[in-house]
Amino acid sequence: MYAVNLARYRCCPNIKENGLSTAPRLVMFTSQECHYSISKAAALLGIGTKNVYAIPSDERGKIIPSALEEQILSAKSEGAVPFMVNATAGTTVLGAFDPIDVIADICEKHNLWLHVDACWGGAALVSSRHKHLLKGIHRADSVAWNPHKMLMACLQCSAFMVRDKTSLLQRCHSARASYLFQQDKFYDVSYDTGDKSVQCSRKPDAFKIWLMWKALGSRELEQRVDRALAMARYLAEEIKKREGFRLLMEPEYANICFWYIPPSLRNLPDGPELWEKLHKVAPVIKERMMKKGSMMVGYQPHGEKANFFRMIIISPQVSRQDMDFVLDEIHNLGKDL
Ligand SMILES: *Cc1c(COP(=O)(O)O)cnc(C)c1O
């Protein structure tokens, strides 16, 4: 929401006073794999969800840059005004990272705001082994990152970072309430950050990551990420070894997506009948695990793909035995299906 509002303000500064009536049709771009908050922001801010152009992704869930550029040109030819691209670093379902560097080139060429939704994948930046996943992120105009996800800060702790040094946040959001934001105070008024935000009263959420960082140190944060991703890798390797388990794809991050194929379906040829039957398996196993109270592992369909499990690994406390348990338990709960 902040990113869309800032990007729009940079493109049409008069909108703050005039509202939407004099604005052109503004169009933003994001991959079809992006988080639903992008279209929600477009709806709430009056951009309109129809003006969020969904760019196709490749089979690994990454935006296709040539398709992005085509749609930017096509929006221009319709007389619309492109103003922003959202790149996702760590998509919700597949954990895919859009190629930020290539997208940044396109944004520079067309003078578009580049926002990186790194809510999920941003944690990789604390790891020297994994930060390459976000190569090019320094070129973004804004970045959203949730330390309450992979780093496990207390809910909620969401960071929004802006590259601008010309007080854009201030100009875009300020209401200059004279009873709060007096300019003739005895101290440096740049510490009064309240007028930059949309909310008035606000919790000091930033302290959660600040305190955690102080207490654990950069090294431990890095190890948390490395450990979680090593555990994810272990689970993926186990899935490949075990009969009846099948990975959707090699994971790029901590999202391990896989099917469990019960023994009764293992001899079916790969075709519509198998996938129709497989589609019904994950919901039943999920129901059984919840009623038994042994675990909670999410499932979903995705595009043409039948229901599959999506195991997300973040806790530094999980072990290989826990990963083995997940697979054993799924087999035990589903082997009669
Ligand atoms: C979780 C998530 C969000 C939403 O963040 P909230 O802080 O829960 O609103 C946005 N984008 C991505 C990619 C996410 O994974």
Side-chain angles (χ1 to χ4, degrees):
M1 186 95 112
Y2 270 86
V4 178
N5 204 35
L6 281 184
R8 178 170 71 177
Y9 179 79
R10 186 182 69 165
C11 159
C12 313
N14 293 334
I15 215 161
K16 190 172 171 186
E17 283 79 32
N18 296 348
L20 299 174
S21 52
T22 54
R25 179 163 77 89
L26 296 169
V27 172
M28 54 194 274
F29 305 83
T30 183
S31 89
Q32 62 187 35
E33 300 282 320
C34 77
H35 192 265
Y36 69 82
S37 52
I38 306 299
S39 59
K40 193 173 253 197
L44 290 173
L45 292 171
I47 304 276
T49 52
K50 278 190 178 163
N51 295 314
V52 181
Y53 285 23
I55 313 299
S57 307
D58 64 19
E59 71 289 345
R60 294 194 48 83
K62 295 166 178 287
I63 197 168
I64 300 172
S66 58
L68 170 64
E69 188 145 29
E70 270 167 34
Q71 299 241 20
I72 292 170
L73 295 174
S74 127
K76 286 184 179 173
S77 73
E78 294 159 13
V81 177
F83 73 106
M84 163 178 175
V85 176
N86 171 65
T88 309
T91 60
T92 312
V93 178
L94 302 175
F97 288 75
D98 286 342
I100 301 173
D101 248 342
V102 185
I103 298 171
D105 289 340
I106 296 174
C107 287
E108 263 171 31
K109 184 167 155 197
H110 296 277
N111 190 28
L112 303 178
W113 183 279
L114 171 58
H115 175 66
V116 178
D117 177 354
C119 282
W120 171 221
L125 284 173
V126 305
S127 160
S128 47
R129 190 177 304 163
H130 298 290
K131 66 181 179 192
H132 66 90
L133 290 167
L134 297 108
K135 189 167 174 289
I137 195 166
H138 59 286
R139 299 172 68 190
D141 292 292
S142 57
V143 173
W145 171 44
N146 284 349
H148 66 231
K149 288 188 172 163
M150 177 70 102
L151 293 188
M152 302 211 311
C154 290
L155 262 179
Q156 73 188 43
C157 180
S158 305
F160 177 66
M161 288 159 278
V162 186
R163 188 159 59 137
D164 170 83
K165 297 278 188 291
T166 67
S167 64
L168 187 69
L169 267 172
Q170 184 81 26
R171 286 182 282 129
C172 180
H173 292 144
S174 71
R176 299 209 175 84
S178 58
Y179 70 99
L180 276 179
F181 306 114
Q182 303 89 333
Q183 297 302 298
D184 50 2
K185 286 176 180 164
F186 68 92
Y187 57 81
D188 178 358
V189 294
S190 68
Y191 288 116
D192 287 348
T193 56
D195 214 18
K196 290 183 185 175
S197 59
V198 172
Q199 311 95 310
C200 178
S201 306
R202 209 157 59 93
K203 288 188 182 176
D205 288 325
F207 279 116
K208 294 172 195 166
I209 177 70
W210 186 82
L211 278 171
M212 190 176 143
W213 203 332
K214 283 276 178 203
L216 299 175
S218 303
R219 189 79 197 99
E220 173 60 23
L221 290 185
E222 175 168 27
Q223 281 172 359
R224 282 189 173 195
V225 172
D226 287 351
R227 230 178 287 142
L229 292 177
M231 214 46 73
R233 179 47 45 207
Y234 172 79
L235 181 65
E237 293 307 320
E238 276 306 299
I239 287 170
K240 284 197 268 185
K241 276 188 216 152
R242 291 197 187 202
E243 206 192 338
F245 286 88
R246 193 156 140 194
L247 275 180
L248 239 81
M249 62 180 66
E250 283 294 330
E252 194 173 4
Y253 197 46
N255 309 39
I256 310 297
C257 300
F258 63 96
W259 288 284
Y260 170 69
I261 307 163
S264 70
L265 303 182
R266 288 186 198 161
N267 291 326
L268 285 180
D270 198 336
E273 192 195 345
L274 171 66
W275 293 108
E276 252 166 56
K277 289 190 165 154
L278 210 48
H279 189 63
K280 303 195 176 100
V281 168
V284 176
I285 296 178
K286 169 90 190 198
E287 179 186 341
R288 289 178 178 179
M289 69 173 78
M290 287 183 74
K291 287 186 172 160
K292 183 176 166 197
S294 56
M295 3 182 245
M296 296 257 273
V297 181
Y299 75 85
Q300 69 271 285
H302 188 61
E304 305 279 279
K305 301 214 158 61
N307 277 325
F308 56 87
F309 287 109
R310 175 170 56 114
M311 179 73 192
I312 302 278
I313 294 126
I314 56 168
S315 170
Q317 285 160 338
V318 300
S319 63
R320 291 177 174 217
Q321 287 91 304
D322 296 318
M323 298 296 101
D324 293 340
F325 175 81
V326 168
L327 300 183
D328 291 342
E329 184 70 357
I330 288 177
H331 175 65
N332 287 330
L333 294 169
K335 63 184 178 221
D336 63 328
L337 293 173

